[in-house]
Amino acid sequence: MTNVQSIQSPSIPSPSIHSEDRAHEADHPTSQVATFGIDQPLKLDCGVDLAPFQIAYQTYGELNADRSNAILICHALTGDQHVANVHPVTGKSGWWETLVGPGRPLDPSRYFIICSNVIGGCMGSTGPASINPATGKVWGLDFPVITIPDMVRAQAMLIDRLGIETLFAVVGGSMGGMQVLQWTAAYPERVYSALAIACSTRHSAQNIAFHELGRQAVMADPDWHGGRYVDQATHPHRGLAVARMAGHITYLSDAALHRKFGRRMQDRELPTFSFDADFQVESYLRYQGSSFVERFDANSYLYLTRAMDYFDIAGDHGGVLAKAFAGIQTRFCVVSFTSDWLFPTSESRALVHALNASSARVSFAEIETDRGHDAFLLDVPEFLDISRAFLQSAGKARGLTGKNG
């Protein structure tokens, strides 16, 4: 067996981490790294061959003898490869420990689990925060614009490097779910099963609008310097924090916000008649913004949101979604949440209808919860039960039994 183990503003506080720490993670991450030389370029949709480049990744568990138990987890917009281990920058637990870990649906004693930082990210995979070997300076906006298909092509190169021909499953939510669907469209013969959660086959106009709001907040920050903030020894933390605050609102539902905060005051009984954070929900959003800038690069935020905006599987197949999955043998499980207005159930149903039209094996679950889009990251028992049952059923069909398959 192959044993591969993981390893300032008055309203928005300045980040506590120094920019040099972020830069270290961008090029020398606390992760495993796969490097690809000038002779192994990543062919991007924009027409550029990216080389050299690298992919940072984490693994959990062991690859079995016939290499049939590998699961690729695709992370969401603000995620990274540290899905089930302590984050090297923030010191916090992995972002999907509800799903990944001993006794969880994705159990490392049964599966070999891989999670890589996407191309364009800022936690070790080549992106705008990385050093451009041609100039010796940070790429910044000289980095080519990337797409979801580009991310998946890079992941396929990583999977090749690991010597894995077919993935038992590809799993992801939100932007990660988009990558799951792109994997099945681009490499159907390499994906035995796919768990696509809280996602769609293309970004809606409303979602594009929210992303543009976030990008404009970043670019309006005087410390952004046209994307050259590293050269200026600054960081547009105010603009990035505002972008995160706006985005975070879309991840929640009105009911969840009301239950958690209502109109309760923050550490006071009466309003201050100022623009301080009088309400708990204001304080919460400011905390989300300030903590986010500790670990994320502003330019990466621009690139990854743009990649999501460009995503459109039907558009890549003559406007007919079913054509993308024609003749596919992959087993699908599509999951949506009733209170997710960012990726509503109607979009999941459209995907399911297209898969049905392609005669694909597909199961679909709409889970009733008031936790909004973020429900896939939380301890929602029904979601965890469905994920476990789907993977166990697919594993039985593939002949995976007992520890490490």
Side-chain angles (χ1 to χ4, degrees):
M1 294 183 184
T2 303
N3 188 354
V4 191
Q5 296 290 347
S6 65
I7 42 181
Q8 310 303 23
S9 157
S11 59
I12 301 173
S14 299
S16 59
I17 191 169
H18 299 295
S19 60
E20 57 266 26
D21 296 325
R22 270 192 301 264
H24 177 83
E25 284 296 326
D27 283 303
H28 305 286
T30 313
S31 300
Q32 298 172 78
V33 178
T35 58
F36 299 87
I38 197 73
D39 60 332
Q40 295 176 293
L42 174 62
K43 296 185 179 298
L44 303 178
D45 283 343
C46 67
V48 172
D49 285 356
L50 181 64
F53 71 97
Q54 68 181 39
I55 302 174
Y57 66 100
Q58 292 285 101
T59 63
Y60 313 85
E62 299 177 358
L63 189 62
N64 62 8
D66 61 1
R67 299 176 177 265
S68 63
N69 68 334
I71 293 179
L72 176 66
I73 294 177
C74 302
H75 70 73
L77 169 63
T78 61
D80 51 42
Q81 68 270 35
H82 301 291
V83 64
N85 59 274
V86 174
H87 198 284
V89 175
T90 66
K92 295 180 179 179
S93 299
W95 55 267
W96 219 0
E97 289 191 335
T98 54
L99 193 72
V100 183
R104 298 293 186 178
L106 274 67
D107 191 329
S109 71
R110 181 174 177 82
Y111 307 112
F112 178 58
I113 300 166
I114 310 154
C115 186
S116 65
N117 188 213
V118 297
I119 288 293
C122 54
M123 287 299 293
S125 293
T126 301
S130 306
I131 298 297
N132 180 350
T135 64
K137 295 184 177 182
V138 171
W139 274 99
L141 296 195
D142 289 336
F143 192 72
V145 172
I146 49 95
T147 65
I148 300 292
D150 293 335
M151 296 176 188
V152 170
R153 274 190 287 272
Q155 290 164 355
M157 293 175 72
L158 170 62
I159 298 305
D160 288 341
R161 177 69 60 84
L162 295 176
I164 299 168
E165 183 176 347
T166 302
L167 290 161
F168 166 60
V170 183
V171 179
S174 196
M175 187 184 85
M178 290 179 166
Q179 294 165 66
V180 170
L181 298 178
Q182 180 61 32
W183 259 99
T184 62
Y187 305 102
E189 72 287 350
R190 301 193 68 176
V191 182
Y192 187 80
S193 61
L195 179 55
I197 312 152
C199 64
S200 71
T201 60
R202 65 177 182 177
H203 232 188
S204 69
Q206 184 183 54
N207 288 349
I208 294 170
F210 275 113
H211 276 174
E212 177 63 3
L213 171 63
R215 288 190 292 264
Q216 289 299 321
V218 170
M219 293 187 286
D221 191 315
D223 287 333
W224 186 60
H225 294 291
R228 291 292 177 190
Y229 44 87
V230 174
D231 295 342
Q232 300 296 322
T234 63
H235 189 263
H237 66 266
R238 294 176 182 84
L240 182 58
V242 171
R244 170 62 170 173
M245 290 166 67
H248 196 73
I249 292 170
T250 70
Y251 305 153
L252 305 172
S253 68
D254 179 61
L257 282 170
H258 179 76
R259 184 184 67 251
K260 193 169 185 176
F261 304 109
R263 289 181 51 84
R264 291 186 292 275
M265 293 286 186
Q266 176 73 19
D267 300 325
R268 57 183 60 97
E269 294 183 1
L270 297 173
T272 63
F273 295 99
S274 72
F275 296 103
D276 195 8
D278 278 4
F279 295 96
Q280 287 183 7
V281 67
E282 294 175 312
S283 180
Y284 169 76
L285 287 175
R286 293 182 187 190
Y287 168 76
Q288 288 293 328
S290 63
S291 62
F292 179 61
V293 301
E294 293 182 353
R295 63 178 177 85
F296 216 84
D297 176 70
N299 283 339
S300 279
Y301 190 86
L302 304 183
Y303 277 81
L304 300 190
T305 55
R306 179 52 92 197
M308 292 181 73
D309 293 346
Y310 281 155
F311 187 60
D312 184 356
I313 289 184
D316 294 338
H317 292 81
V320 181
L321 184 56
K323 287 184 178 179
F325 308 108
I328 196 167
Q329 298 299 307
T330 302
R331 296 167 179 264
F332 286 85
C333 180
V334 179
V335 179
S336 69
F337 302 94
T338 54
S339 55
D340 183 355
W341 56 273
L342 193 64
F343 291 100
T345 294
S346 59
E347 297 184 352
S348 292
R349 290 190 186 279
L351 167 62
V352 171
H353 291 157
L355 290 170
N356 285 334
S358 304
S359 300
R361 295 185 182 93
V362 55
S363 57
F364 169 62
E366 180 185 33
I367 297 173
E368 187 171 351
T369 176
D370 69 355
R371 294 190 169 189
H373 181 63
D374 260 0
F376 77 95
L377 298 172
L378 305 175
D379 189 1
V380 178
E382 187 178 356
F383 166 58
L384 300 180
D385 290 344
I386 288 169
S387 300
R388 187 190 309 275
F390 172 70
L391 292 171
Q392 288 179 344
S393 175
K396 184 177 180 180
R398 201 180 196 198
L400 295 183
T401 57
K403 183 177 179 180
N404 304 125

